[in-house]
Amino acid sequence: VEIGYTDAQTRAFYKNLLERVRALPGVESASIANAVPMGYYSSGDALVIEGQETPAGQPTPASLYAVVSPDYFKAMSIALLSGRSFTEADDEKTQFVAVVNEALAKLYWPNQDAIGKQFRLGADASHSIQIVGVSKDSRAQGATGTIRPFLYVPFEQHSKASSLESLQVRTAGAPSAMIPAIEHVLNSLAPDLPVFDVKTMAVALNTLNGLLIFQLAAILAASLGMLGLVLSIVGVYGVVSYAANQRTHEIGIRIALGAQPADILKMIFRQGLLIIGIGLAVGLAAAFAAARVVGNFLTVSATDPVTYLTVSALLTFVALVACYIPARRAMRVDPMVALRYE
């Protein structure tokens, strides 16, 4: 469409393109679709479900959908739970068909087998579409939230409604290494065809529509966490060191009376552990309260015991290491100097 092709020429072009790309060494499967996961565009339409009437005041059934070629589910590793995928025989001369995801099947045909059910798209009421497969739920838009109803229709039956197509290629090796060869195929078939947004799925996942926001938030949280860890180490060291210095006179007397260095080490560590215990108790209580407030933004349970135990153990270990230096220094106190200490 972008370069003046008729509908027949468009279908012939994409058929030829897929054949050429699949023939490239290292390509396992290839497909086309007008909307892909983590993309910036998708289609949606109202649904007219046969045998169901929308009650007054209720929203009209609707769904996002993608126009795809037969190998789309293989290329995108989307499993079919029942029924079949599309075939080359699903063209405009045969019964119009669709594959729906679990969310759509459960929403409009609860406790029923969706295979064989029929509906019409609001923009194409002239064709009744029969469901031939149910796919596993997969995220079409956004990395969080409830998975929305989604359906797939074959390109051969809806090519006129799909002017913008995306090529998906699954490779045996590094996908980025296949990009030049695929672009060469495209240029040889249609030199004037505008090609853009060429990237691997890993790169696509790192966009604003994918995981980039979460990655930035994770980096920020990790940075703040590291800053907090450093401050806690400095704080614990400062407090324990100050407390040890305050007991210099006492330590000198103990050593003069025969206390062993190990006894001094135990005393300083006991004092440090008391500080650590109080800090952990207050910190865990505050963390638990904060986690309950922001629980919806966490990837683990707000009361996940493994997380609390792991973090507590890590902070305890770090704090004990921070206690070791002033403890070692206290063990080397000269009794005569300590007795003159004021």
Side-chain angles (χ1 to χ4, degrees), residues 272-286:
L273 285 172
L274 177 62
I275 297 172
I276 294 168
I278 295 173
L280 281 177
V282 175
L284 287 173

Side-chain angles (χ1 to χ4, degrees), residues 128-295:
S128 177
I129 300 175
Q130 185 177 57
I131 299 174
V132 295
V134 176
S135 71
K136 187 175 180 62
D137 282 340
S138 61
R139 295 197 175 277
Q141 287 186 327
T144 60
T146 304
I147 295 179
R148 300 169 62 182
F150 202 90
L151 64 90
Y152 309 87
V153 293
F155 174 76
E156 287 292 327
Q157 295 180 345
H158 297 267
S159 58
K160 293 180 181 179
S162 184
S163 61
L164 181 64
E165 295 296 329
S166 174
L167 174 67
Q168 302 85 46
V169 181
R170 177 170 291 276
T171 65
S176 56
M178 296 296 302
I179 291 177
I182 295 170
E183 289 181 330
H184 177 72
V185 171
L186 280 164
N187 291 330
S188 66
L189 290 175
D192 298 328
L193 181 68
V195 179
F196 62 95
D197 212 17
V198 181
K199 55 192 173 187
T200 65
M201 182 57 75
V203 173
L205 287 172
N206 294 327
T207 62
L208 287 173
N209 201 36
L211 304 176
L212 181 59
I213 295 296
F214 300 95
Q215 291 172 339
L216 293 176
I219 292 172
L220 177 60
S223 300
L224 293 175
M226 290 301 297
L227 177 60
L229 181 61
V230 171
L231 291 176
S232 67
I233 293 173
V234 173
V236 169
Y237 174 78
V239 170
V240 174
S241 179
Y242 176 76
N245 287 335
Q246 290 295 102
R247 300 181 70 177
T248 300
H249 188 69
E250 175 191 347
I251 291 171
I253 294 175
R254 288 177 180 272
I255 294 177
L257 293 176
Q260 298 299 312
D263 298 326
I264 304 302
L265 184 65
K266 291 178 182 178
M267 182 182 71
I268 300 300
F269 265 100
R270 192 181 305 115
Q271 182 175 265
L273 285 172
L274 177 62
I275 297 172
I276 294 168
I278 295 173
L280 281 177
V282 175
L284 287 173
F288 182 79
R292 300 286 291 184
V293 174
V294 298

Side-chain angles (χ1 to χ4, degrees), residues 3-338:
I3 54 177
Y5 281 5
T6 64
D7 182 56
Q9 289 174 320
T10 298
R11 283 187 276 111
F13 165 77
Y14 282 118
K15 182 178 180 180
N16 193 14
L17 171 64
L18 290 174
E19 289 176 351
R20 292 276 298 275
V21 171
R22 288 170 186 148
L24 292 173
V27 172
E28 295 182 342
S29 58
S31 65
I32 57 171
N34 71 332
V36 292
M38 306 307 168
Y40 295 97
Y41 41 87
S42 63
S43 301
D45 202 353
L47 304 181
V48 180
I49 301 175
E50 295 189 9
Q52 296 185 22
E53 293 186 3
T54 304
Q58 295 296 317
T60 301
S63 175
L64 296 173
Y65 73 92
V67 181
V68 304
S69 63
D71 271 357
Y72 178 80
F73 300 99
K74 180 180 179 181
M76 300 300 291
S77 290
I78 299 176
L80 287 182
L81 301 178
S82 61
R84 66 172 178 86
S85 179
F86 303 135
T87 68
E88 298 296 339
D90 294 317
D91 57 27
E92 57 186 352
K93 297 179 182 178
T94 62
Q95 167 68 52
F96 275 40
V97 294
V99 172
V100 302
N101 71 349
E102 292 176 272
L104 190 147
K106 292 176 181 178
L107 179 61
Y108 297 122
W109 295 280
N111 303 317
Q112 300 180 54
D113 184 2
I115 303 296
K117 304 297 184 182
Q118 297 190 352
F119 65 91
R120 299 173 189 268
L121 291 174
D124 184 18
S126 61
H127 291 101
S128 177
I129 300 175
Q130 185 177 57
I131 299 174
V132 295
V134 176
S135 71
K136 187 175 180 62
D137 282 340
S138 61
R139 295 197 175 277
Q141 287 186 327
T144 60
T146 304
I147 295 179
R148 300 169 62 182
F150 202 90
L151 64 90
Y152 309 87
V153 293
F155 174 76
E156 287 292 327
Q157 295 180 345
H158 297 267
S159 58
K160 293 180 181 179
S162 184
S163 61
L164 181 64
E165 295 296 329
S166 174
L167 174 67
Q168 302 85 46
V169 181
R170 177 170 291 276
T171 65
S176 56
M178 296 296 302
I179 291 177
I182 295 170
E183 289 181 330
H184 177 72
V185 171
L186 280 164
N187 291 330
S188 66
L189 290 175
D192 298 328
L193 181 68
V195 179
F196 62 95
D197 212 17
V198 181
K199 55 192 173 187
T200 65
M201 182 57 75
V203 173
L205 287 172
N206 294 327
T207 62
L208 287 173
N209 201 36
L211 304 176
L212 181 59
I213 295 296
F214 300 95
Q215 291 172 339
L216 293 176
I219 292 172
L220 177 60
S223 300
L224 293 175
M226 290 301 297
L227 177 60
L229 181 61
V230 171
L231 291 176
S232 67
I233 293 173
V234 173
V236 169
Y237 174 78
V239 170
V240 174
S241 179
Y242 176 76
N245 287 335
Q246 290 295 102
R247 300 181 70 177
T248 300
H249 188 69
E250 175 191 347
I251 291 171
I253 294 175
R254 288 177 180 272
I255 294 177
L257 293 176
Q260 298 299 312
D263 298 326
I264 304 302
L265 184 65
K266 291 178 182 178
M267 182 182 71
I268 300 300
F269 265 100
R270 192 181 305 115
Q271 182 175 265
L273 285 172
L274 177 62
I275 297 172
I276 294 168
I278 295 173
L280 281 177
V282 175
L284 287 173
F288 182 79
R292 300 286 291 184
V293 174
V294 298
N296 292 334
F297 301 97
L298 301 176
T299 57
V300 297
S301 169
T303 57
D304 179 49
V306 175
T307 301
Y308 283 94
L309 289 174
T310 301
V311 173
S312 298
L314 175 62
L315 289 177
T316 301
F317 172 76
V318 171
L320 288 175
V321 172
C323 292
Y324 181 74
I325 296 176
R328 289 286 297 177
R329 188 174 62 211
M331 289 167 54
R332 299 190 180 97
V333 170
D334 185 336
M336 297 304 297
V337 173

